[in-house]
C-alpha cells in the first residue's frame, strides 16, 4: 500500500513525551518539538492490524514469545543486513537503554572502566555512572565536518580496568554509518585488550542510499564471541512505547550472564502488544520502510538546502543513517545558553541541545526529521524569521 507521510497526526493530548511534556526539557510546551527520537508517523498498517486483532481477543494475561517471534528477527537480519544469526543467540530486553544497563552489570564490576566515543547518545553516560562504573571518553575526530573514530586515542585511553566498549552503530547523534574497515579496526583493538563490546544498533535499519549497515558481530567469529548486540523495531517502525527489544550474542556464556542480570532485576516477560508488534514489523514492515527512507532523506535534503541558501552560518553534517540531523550553530557566535534562549524562546523550535551528548557537542543541535515535511518547513521558516529579527540587515544577507 502507499503510505502518506505528509499527513499530520495530532499527538498532543495523548501523554506524548515529545509533544505534551516538552516543558520538562525546554521549560515550555509552546514550541515545535523536534527532539526526542520517535516519529510523528503512524506505524505500518500490518503492525496496526496485528495489534487490533490481538486487542480484540480481550484477555491480556501473562504471555510468552512464540517461536515465530524469534524467527522474524532471524529472517530480518539475514534479509536486511546479511547477518545469519540463530534463535539460540537471542534474549529479551524491555528496550535498548535497559539492555545497555544490563550488559554493563553483566560484563563488568563496580569500579571498572567503560569506554565510549563522544559526543554520543547521552544515556550511555548515565548507564555507566548509574551502575557504579567509571566513564572513559574518546572524542570522535571531525575532519571537515565528517566524524571518524580516533583509534590511536581509543587505544591510549584503555587502562587495566577497562572491561567494555559501548558502540553506537550507526552513530547517534552524528549520523555516521561506520564502514566495515572502521569496525574491523575497532574490533582489533578490543580483541587485543580483551574488551567486550556492547553494540547499540537500534538505528541499523535507517540507512540512506549509498551506505550499508555492517553489524559489528557479523565481521568475524572472534568478534561475534566478544560482542552483545542490542536491536529493536522501535526506531525503525515507531514502536518505542511498546518497550520491546532483543539482544544478540553468539557467546553462550555472555548470553547467560546477560540473562542473569535480567533476572536479577525481575524482568522476564515481555509486553503482550510489544510481542505482536515486534513480529509483525519484522515480517511485514519492509514496504513501509522502503517508502519511509526516501521521505526522511527528502526532509534532510530540504533542510540542508534551506539553511545553505538562507542561513549558511549553520553547518549541516552529512546524514548517512538515522533520522537525526546534527547541526553546527557555532557560526552564529552565540554561547550555548544564548543559543538555547534563541531557539526555545524566540524561534520556538525544540531542537535538542548538543552539549548533553558531550562537551564536543557544545554549539550543536540534534534535530529529529521523522515528521511531515510541513513541520520541517515551519521550524526552518520560524528559525530564519527569528534570526533576522535579532540580527537586522546582517541576517538578511
Amino acid at each position: 500500500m502507499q503510505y502518506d507521510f505528509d499527513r499530520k497526526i495530532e499527538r498532543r493530548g495523548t501523554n506524548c513525551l515529545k509533544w505534551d511534556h516538552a516543558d520538562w526539557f525546554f521549560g515550555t510546551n509552546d514550541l515545535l518539538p523536534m527532539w526526542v527520537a520517535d516519529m510523528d508517523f503512524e506505524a505500518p498498517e500490518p503492525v496496526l492490524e496485528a495489534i487490533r486483532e490481538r486487542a480484540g481477543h480481550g484477555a491480556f494475561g501473562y504471555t510468552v514469545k512464540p517461536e515465530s517471534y524469534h524467527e522474524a528477527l532471524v529472517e530480518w537480519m539475514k534479509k536486511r543486513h546479511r547477518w545469519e544469526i540463530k534463535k539460540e543467540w537471542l534474549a529479551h530486553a524491555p528496550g535498548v537503554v535497559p539492555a545497555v544497563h544490563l550488559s554493563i552489570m553483566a560484563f563488568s564490576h563496580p569500579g571498572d572502566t567503560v569506554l565510549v566515543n563522544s559526543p554520543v547518545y547521552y544515556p550511555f553516560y548515565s548507564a555507566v555512572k548509574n551502575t557504579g562504573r567509571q566513564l572513559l571518553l574518546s572524542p570522535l575526530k571531525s575532519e571537515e565536518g565528517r566524524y571518524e573514530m580516533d583509534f590511536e586515542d581509543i587505544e591510549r585511553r584503555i587502562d587495566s580496568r577497562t572491561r567494555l566498549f559501548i558502540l553506537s552503530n550507526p552513530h547517534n547523534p552524528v549520523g555516521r554509518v561506520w564502514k566495515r574497515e572502521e569496525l574491523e579496526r575497532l574490533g582489533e583493538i578490543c580483541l587485543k585488550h580483551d574488551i567486550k563490546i556492547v553494540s547499540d544498533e537500534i538505528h541499523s535499519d535507517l540507512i540512506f542510499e549509498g551506505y550499508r549497515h555492517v553489524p559489528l558481530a557479523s565481521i568475524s567469529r572472534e568478534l561475534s564471541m566478544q560482542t552483545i548486540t542490542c536491536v529493536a523495531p522501535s526506531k525503525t517502525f515507531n514502536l518505542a512505547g511498546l518497550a520491546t527489544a532483543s539482544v544478540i550474542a553468539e557467546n553462550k556464556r555472555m548470553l547467560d550472564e546477560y540473562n542473569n542480570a535480567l533476572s536479577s532485576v525481575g524482568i522476564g516477560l515481555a509486553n503482550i502488544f510489544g510481542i505482536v508488534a515486534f513480529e509483525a514489523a519484522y515480517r511485514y514492515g519492509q514496504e513501509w520502510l522502503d517508502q519511509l527512507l526516501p521521505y526522511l532523506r527528502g526532509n534532510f535534503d530540504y533542510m540542508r538546502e534551506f539553511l545553505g541558501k538562507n542561513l549558511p552560518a549553520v553547518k549541516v553534517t552529512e546524514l548517512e543513517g538515522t533520522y537525526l540531523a546534527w547541526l553546527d550553530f557555532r557560526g552564529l557566535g552565540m554561547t550555548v545558553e544564548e543559543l538555547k534562549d534563541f531557539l526555545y524562546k524566540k524561534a520556538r523550535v525544540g531542537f535538542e541541545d548538543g552539549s548533553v551528548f558531550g562537551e564536543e557537542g557544545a554549539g550543536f543541535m540534534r534535530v529529529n526529521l521523522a515528521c511531515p515535511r510541513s513541520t520541517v518547513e515551519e521550524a526552518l521558516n520560524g528559525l530564519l524569521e527569528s534570526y533576522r529579527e535579532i540580527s537586522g540587515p546582517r541576517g538578511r544577507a
Side-chain angles (χ1 to χ4, degrees):
M1 64 180 293
Q2 185 66 39
Y3 291 96
D4 181 9
F5 297 109
D6 284 323
R7 182 169 68 88
K8 284 196 170 185
I9 298 172
E10 181 55 69
R11 300 188 67 192
R12 293 191 190 275
T14 63
N15 292 316
C16 171
L17 177 63
K18 181 194 280 186
W19 288 85
D20 289 325
H21 298 290
D23 58 311
W24 294 357
F25 299 88
F26 302 105
T28 179
N29 279 324
D30 184 22
L31 44 63
L32 194 61
M34 299 177 71
W35 59 295
V36 67
D38 69 11
M39 301 186 191
D40 290 332
F41 306 131
E42 278 189 347
E45 181 57 32
V47 174
L48 302 180
E49 183 56 37
I51 292 173
R52 293 187 197 108
E53 182 178 347
R54 186 64 186 85
H57 181 261
F60 310 124
Y62 298 119
T63 303
V64 299
K65 303 184 192 76
E67 283 296 302
S68 56
Y69 172 98
H70 300 293
E71 290 167 357
L73 178 57
V74 170
E75 291 168 6
W76 180 266
M77 287 297 168
K78 182 178 181 179
K79 177 176 61 176
R80 196 84 190 179
H81 301 302
R82 308 175 198 173
W83 185 23
E84 296 198 24
I85 63 174
K86 298 179 180 179
K87 291 181 288 183
E88 295 76 25
W89 301 359
L90 306 180
H92 172 67
V96 166
V97 171
V100 171
H101 280 76
L102 291 164
S103 297
I104 294 171
M105 293 166 59
F107 309 127
S108 65
H109 296 94
D112 286 342
T113 60
V114 179
L115 184 58
V116 300
N117 293 130
S118 57
V120 78
Y121 182 52
Y122 49 86
F124 287 5
Y125 303 142
S126 57
V128 173
K129 295 174 183 177
N130 290 346
T131 53
R133 279 64 171 174
Q134 304 299 310
L135 188 63
L136 294 178
L137 299 178
S138 177
L140 297 172
K141 297 188 297 187
S142 180
E143 303 288 345
E144 297 183 352
R146 186 176 189 271
Y147 288 85
E148 297 178 355
M149 285 186 267
D150 187 337
F151 299 108
E152 289 76 16
D153 184 74
I154 288 172
E155 190 154 22
R156 187 164 52 246
R157 291 178 187 271
I158 293 170
D159 63 31
S160 62
R161 298 176 300 156
T162 307
R163 299 291 177 266
L164 285 175
F165 186 98
I166 307 178
L167 174 68
S168 183
N169 178 34
H171 193 279
N172 172 14
V174 307
R176 273 299 316 279
V177 174
W178 302 118
K179 293 182 178 180
R180 183 182 183 90
E181 52 266 32
E182 293 174 298
L183 296 173
E184 287 175 340
R185 181 76 184 280
L186 175 66
E188 289 170 1
I189 294 170
C190 291
L191 288 170
K192 174 183 174 182
H193 295 277
D194 193 26
I195 295 171
K196 292 182 173 64
I197 304 169
V198 181
S199 187
D200 173 2
E201 303 192 5
I202 196 170
H203 293 279
S204 59
D205 300 318
L206 299 163
I207 309 297
F208 296 120
E209 187 175 357
Y211 304 96
R212 186 173 82 83
H213 172 70
V214 178
L216 178 72
S218 72
I219 291 174
S220 70
R221 175 81 194 291
E222 292 76 16
L223 206 45
S224 181
M225 295 296 285
Q226 199 81 353
T227 302
I228 190 163
T229 304
C230 307
V231 298
S234 51
K235 302 303 180 191
T236 308
F237 301 106
N238 203 25
L239 305 175
L242 294 177
T244 305
S246 283
V247 300
I248 307 168
E250 182 178 1
N251 187 324
K252 186 178 184 304
R253 181 174 178 178
M254 286 183 67
L255 198 64
D256 288 345
E257 290 171 341
Y258 171 85
N259 279 323
N260 287 339
L262 189 71
S263 297
S264 74
V265 292
I267 301 172
L269 299 176
N271 178 311
I272 187 170
F273 294 109
I275 293 172
V276 168
F278 182 106
E279 180 174 349
Y282 283 136
R283 287 201 182 281
Y284 310 115
Q286 181 165 324
E287 181 183 40
W288 183 88
L289 179 59
D290 289 345
Q291 293 179 40
L292 171 72
L293 288 172
Y295 190 89
L296 294 176
R297 182 69 202 194
N299 279 352
F300 175 76
D301 289 342
Y302 175 86
M303 181 194 68
R304 181 171 56 182
E305 291 167 11
F306 182 99
L307 292 173
K309 177 181 179 181
N310 298 290
L311 202 53
V314 178
K315 304 301 181 184
V316 181
T317 304
E318 174 59 27
L319 190 61
E320 300 176 357
T322 84
Y323 49 71
L324 304 165
W326 187 239
L327 305 186
D328 182 355
F329 282 85
R330 292 176 297 177
L332 298 186
M334 300 179 185
T335 66
V336 168
E337 292 305 314
E338 288 170 343
L339 178 60
K340 289 161 64 175
D341 185 77
F342 165 65
L343 292 173
Y344 306 157
K345 296 180 181 179
K346 296 182 176 65
R348 298 289 180 182
V349 290
F351 300 163
E352 193 157 20
D353 174 20
S355 65
V356 303
F357 299 91
E359 63 180 35
E360 297 83 6
F364 289 77
M365 287 281 161
R366 192 186 77 164
V367 182
N368 183 344
L369 296 174
C371 56
R373 183 73 46 80
S374 58
T375 300
V376 180
E377 293 171 354
E378 181 182 350
L380 293 175
N381 283 314
L383 172 65
L384 179 60
E385 181 179 347
S386 298
Y387 183 70
R388 285 175 170 172
E389 287 176 359
I390 68 169
S391 59
R394 191 166 48 86
R396 300 178 185 274

